[in-house]
Amino acid sequence: MKRIMFGILAAALLLSFAGCANESKRILAKVDGESITLKNFNDRITKLPKQYQDIVKAQKRNYLDDLIMEKLLYKKAVKTGIDKDKETQEIIVEATKKIVIARLVEREVEKKVKVSDDEARKYYDEHSEEFMLPERWRASHILVDTPEEANAIKQKLDQGASFDELAREKSKDATAKIGGDIGYFSRGQLVPEFEEECYKLKVGEVGDVVKTQFGYHVIILTDKKNPEVQEFAAVGDMIRKELEREKKKALLDKMMTDVRSNAKIVINEKLLDEEIKKDAKDTKNPPEAPTGADSGKSE
């Protein structure tokens, strides 16, 4: 939420003075005499998250209509005095607290945490076991409905027929159009009967016909990879994000500990316990809903 409200792009801050002056004088619309300048309009767009900016820039007329309607509805609300009533003022106070706290967290935590490439690389080097890929197999298969069809296909393959061509021609599986290739998998990802046959095969070997809940398979093992550590390039961004998350949490925890340790806090434990027990009792004994004829009566 704080990103939506306060995420102003650096580019907006670097606008030239002349450009800002021109935008502030150019009036895009007037609503009951109140102007919406080009600068107002563009500033509102700039404060949106990047993904929303792209959407709004493609629909600027609609966004302007939204701003106009916002002004009209706000004006109507103020006329009714709803902005002055007690409930609205309480909501405003609570919302203001949350906004100010969010800004504090953004300034004291979000903007202070950075993770360098060297830090990410150091973590990768010291925790390589976390990025280990398991043993993997790659196979292609031809799926048919009957054992007779499967055995006939197996016989043709034993005689030198092309697995790719037979898969495209005979297989009823969606992988038929790519020669039956199911890609890489590790233990537990496929049905047990299929996997067990793959584990018996050498790369390039066609296995026996296998029955599963889907039908009858003729399988060829096309590759096998031993356990290996993923390259840093594949996991670097993930490491940086995780280290950033951990640093932010630690910094936020420290800030909360500091402000709490410097405050004088007195809790009425007896009263709090009474409230907790009362809520627990209410949860165990919820009020009974009206039933039968009584449900339609009013007092």
Side-chain angles (χ1 to χ4, degrees):
M1 177 62 72
K2 57 182 178 288
R3 291 292 182 192
I4 294 175
M5 303 178 72
F6 306 110
I8 304 176
L9 294 178
L13 300 176
L14 297 176
L15 288 171
S16 68
F17 177 79
C20 289
N22 289 336
E23 283 193 344
S24 64
K25 291 178 181 178
R26 297 174 68 186
I27 297 173
L28 195 59
K30 283 191 175 184
V31 183
D32 289 339
E34 184 179 350
S35 298
I36 298 176
T37 67
L38 183 60
K39 185 177 187 306
N40 297 150
F41 184 72
N42 285 332
D43 282 350
R44 288 287 292 265
I45 295 174
T46 301
K47 291 175 183 178
L48 296 171
K50 183 64 172 68
Q51 65 268 32
Y52 294 123
Q53 288 183 41
D54 295 339
I55 295 171
V56 168
K57 285 177 182 178
Q59 303 179 41
K60 285 189 173 181
R61 183 175 295 278
N62 291 340
Y63 189 61
L64 178 60
D65 286 342
D66 287 345
L67 294 185
I68 291 170
M69 185 53 65
E70 179 185 277
K71 285 184 176 293
L72 292 173
L73 290 174
Y74 181 71
K75 187 175 181 181
K76 178 177 175 63
V78 169
K79 278 184 178 179
T80 67
I82 198 171
D83 59 319
K84 298 292 193 301
D85 72 34
K86 182 180 177 183
E87 186 177 356
T88 300
Q89 288 298 312
E90 288 173 352
I91 293 171
I92 290 172
V93 169
E94 290 304 312
T96 300
K97 287 180 185 176
K98 288 178 171 56
I99 291 168
V100 172
I101 291 169
R103 288 281 288 177
L104 174 68
V105 172
E106 181 183 44
R107 188 182 70 185
E108 298 298 324
V109 177
E110 298 285 337
K111 289 186 176 180
K112 286 188 176 181
V113 170
K114 300 292 181 187
V115 174
S116 67
D117 287 343
D118 287 344
E119 285 180 278
R121 169 64 77 169
K122 183 173 184 291
Y123 184 91
Y124 171 82
D125 291 339
E126 293 177 355
H127 301 83
S128 58
E129 70 283 354
E130 295 180 17
F131 310 105
M132 181 71 71
L133 289 171
E135 190 173 19
R136 288 158 293 151
W137 294 261
R138 185 174 187 174
S140 294
H141 74 136
I142 300 170
L143 177 63
V144 292
D145 290 321
T146 67
E148 290 79 16
E149 292 177 277
N151 285 318
I153 290 168
K154 174 70 165 63
Q155 186 176 6
K156 288 182 180 179
L157 291 170
D158 290 342
Q159 293 171 352
S162 165
F163 194 101
D164 182 88
E165 291 177 5
L166 282 175
R168 292 174 188 275
E169 179 186 347
K170 302 289 187 180
S171 182
K172 68 172 187 174
D173 191 64
T175 59
K177 60 186 178 183
I178 53 173
D181 181 30
I182 62 170
Y184 286 98
F185 62 93
S186 53
R187 288 184 183 274
Q189 290 187 310
L190 304 179
V191 291
E193 303 92 338
F194 193 103
E195 285 189 2
E196 288 303 322
E197 185 62 25
C198 290
Y199 302 153
K200 299 175 186 176
L201 301 176
K202 296 177 181 178
V203 174
E205 185 179 5
V206 176
D208 295 328
V209 174
V210 175
K211 181 184 178 183
T212 71
Q213 65 199 70
F214 304 106
Y216 294 84
H217 307 257
V218 180
I219 304 167
I220 184 172
L221 187 67
T222 55
D223 196 14
K224 180 179 178 181
K225 290 183 179 291
N226 293 323
E228 61 182 348
V229 177
Q230 296 179 77
E231 295 291 333
F232 177 74
V235 297
D237 285 343
M238 179 184 71
I239 293 173
R240 275 186 286 271
K241 287 177 182 177
E242 180 59 22
L243 291 179
E244 280 183 4
R245 188 192 67 77
E246 290 176 1
K247 281 188 173 186
K248 287 175 183 178
K249 183 180 183 304
L251 195 55
L252 180 60
D253 288 346
K254 182 180 184 303
M255 183 172 70
M256 291 191 294
T257 299
D258 289 345
V259 297
R260 193 176 184 92
S261 64
N262 293 323
K264 184 178 180 180
I265 301 169
V266 179
I267 297 174
N268 187 333
E269 295 290 351
K270 182 179 178 182
L271 182 58
L272 178 60
D273 286 342
E274 288 174 0
E275 284 298 299
I276 292 171
K277 288 175 182 176
K278 183 179 73 174
D279 289 341
K281 183 179 179 182
D282 290 343
T283 302
K284 291 180 181 178
N285 302 292
E288 292 184 7
T291 58
D294 293 336
S295 62
K297 294 181 180 180
S298 59
E299 294 184 0

